[in-house]
Amino acid sequence: MREFVQALTIRTRIPGMGLLLFAQYVETRYATLLLAGDPTGIGYLLKNSVVDMPAFVAALEEIASGKTVLGPEVATQLVRGAYAHKGLDRLSSREVQVLEQMAQGMSNAGIAQKLHLSIGGVEKNISSISL
């Protein structure tokens, strides 16, 4: 919890500052708060999901370039939270498609390519999902 408070404080004081939360477990309540603002340049990965250095470095590079990076477990928990609290029926069909790809561990660039979207379009859908 302390890490999320620090992350929210940093983003409030320095909008657009890239952040990577590297945690033991998913805290959906705090993740939703963090992503509900401007989700660009934010990453949330679980420690056990990063199995090699190239994947970790790739995530850092995406965050540094302003992309949103969520690990598959994080995306899954956010979906469950959305379903439990508001229902997935509130999501557009495109948002559901993006969320499915996130849950499979695809990067924003991979999602954009697969769904024929711009990276900005993917990020916009991620932001809408998180609200």
Side-chain angles (χ1 to χ4, degrees), residues 6-17:
Q6 291 171 339
L8 287 167
T9 300
I10 290 168
R11 285 296 284 225
T12 300
R13 291 184 182 162
I14 310 170
M17 168 66 79

Side-chain angles (χ1 to χ4, degrees), residues 5-128:
V5 172
Q6 291 171 339
L8 287 167
T9 300
I10 290 168
R11 285 296 284 225
T12 300
R13 291 184 182 162
I14 310 170
M17 168 66 79
L19 293 171
L20 171 61
L21 293 164
F22 199 50
Q24 284 291 114
Y25 54 91
V26 179
E27 283 280 354
T28 55
R29 180 173 55 153
Y30 297 110
T32 301
L33 285 173
L34 187 60
L35 293 167
D38 178 10
T40 57
I42 292 179
Y44 188 0
L45 301 172
L46 294 186
K47 292 177 183 178
N48 66 354
S49 70
V50 178
V51 294
D52 60 40
M53 189 56 71
F56 182 71
V57 171
L60 289 175
E61 289 171 345
E62 287 198 31
I63 292 164
S65 70
K67 297 174 183 156
T68 305
V69 176
L70 299 176
E73 299 91 349
V74 175
T76 299
Q77 291 295 328
L78 288 172
V79 169
R80 287 185 184 147
Y83 182 74
H85 297 292
K86 298 178 184 172
L88 288 177
D89 55 343
R90 73 171 181 82
L91 300 178
S92 70
S93 61
R94 181 61 85 185
E95 290 167 345
V96 170
Q97 291 173 334
V98 168
L99 200 50
E100 287 171 346
Q101 299 307 308
M102 289 168 57
Q104 293 175 24
M106 292 198 64
S107 68
N108 289 4
I111 294 170
Q113 184 177 12
K114 183 166 184 166
L115 300 179
H116 306 288
L117 293 170
S118 67
I119 291 178
V122 171
E123 291 171 353
K124 188 173 183 180
N125 279 286
I126 291 170
S127 179
S128 295

